[in-house]
Amino acid sequence: MAKSRTTRLLIAGAAVAVLAVIYFGAYAWHAGLDPAAAGGPGHNVVTLDPGLYKGPAHEAYRVAREHPELLAQMHCYCGCDRLHGHNSLLDCFRDTHGGHCAICVGEAIDAERMYKAGTPVDQIRDALRQRYYRHES
Ligand SMILES: [Zn+2]
């Protein structure tokens, strides 16, 4: 009798340990992938295939695919932040919005050109703001 009681305690103890491991494992896993830490909900959504577009739009979607971290730090001045809830220029290329918006396309291409020339990210952001921001909108 005493032995089976010990066995039951051991099983209960093991079950608690397993649950604790699962709980903390899931917590750590979730924290590592937390979208809020990476720039808001849906941050891991990929951008659309550049092959869907031609000309400047194709270039812009290619930039988005190759430099998502760059565009994620840029603001889009086409008004899509208010109209579509976009948080950054990268969001414009997660859907078809960037394919028919000359401002999004221009910003992405300009950003990559400056980036390749070695311009610091904060200066690229300022340059885009000066070029694309419109007070009357
Ligand atoms: Zn936009």
Side-chain angles (χ1 to χ4, degrees), residues 23-45:
Y23 180 81
F24 286 109
Y27 179 79
W29 177 80
H30 178 76
L33 294 175
D34 190 359
H43 182 80
N44 294 319
V45 177

Side-chain angles (χ1 to χ4, degrees), residues 57-115:
H58 175 86
E59 282 297 290
Y61 276 94
R62 182 191 54 73
V63 172
R65 182 145 294 193
E66 291 179 10
H67 306 286
E69 74 297 332
L70 175 66
L71 298 198
Q73 296 176 79
M74 298 299 144
H75 185 77
C76 184
Y77 293 105
C78 75
C80 62
D81 53 339
R82 279 164 288 150
L83 290 173
H84 303 289
H86 289 171
N87 292 315
S88 74
L89 185 56
L90 183 62
D91 283 340
C92 303
F93 300 102
R94 286 187 175 123
D95 55 29
T96 56
H97 169 76
H100 48 79
C101 179
I103 293 176
C104 305
V105 167
E107 284 196 48
I109 293 172
D110 284 356
E112 189 201 39
R113 196 181 58 241
M114 287 183 268
Y115 183 72

Side-chain angles (χ1 to χ4, degrees), residues 98-135:
H100 48 79
C101 179
I103 293 176
C104 305
V105 167
E107 284 196 48
I109 293 172
D110 284 356
E112 189 201 39
R113 196 181 58 241
M114 287 183 268
Y115 183 72
K116 282 186 167 172
T119 311
V121 166
D122 56 333
Q123 285 182 29
I124 299 174
R125 199 186 297 127
D126 286 350
L128 292 184
R129 185 174 199 284
Q130 281 174 16
R131 197 167 299 171
Y132 294 98
Y133 183 66
R134 293 287 177 270
H135 289 274

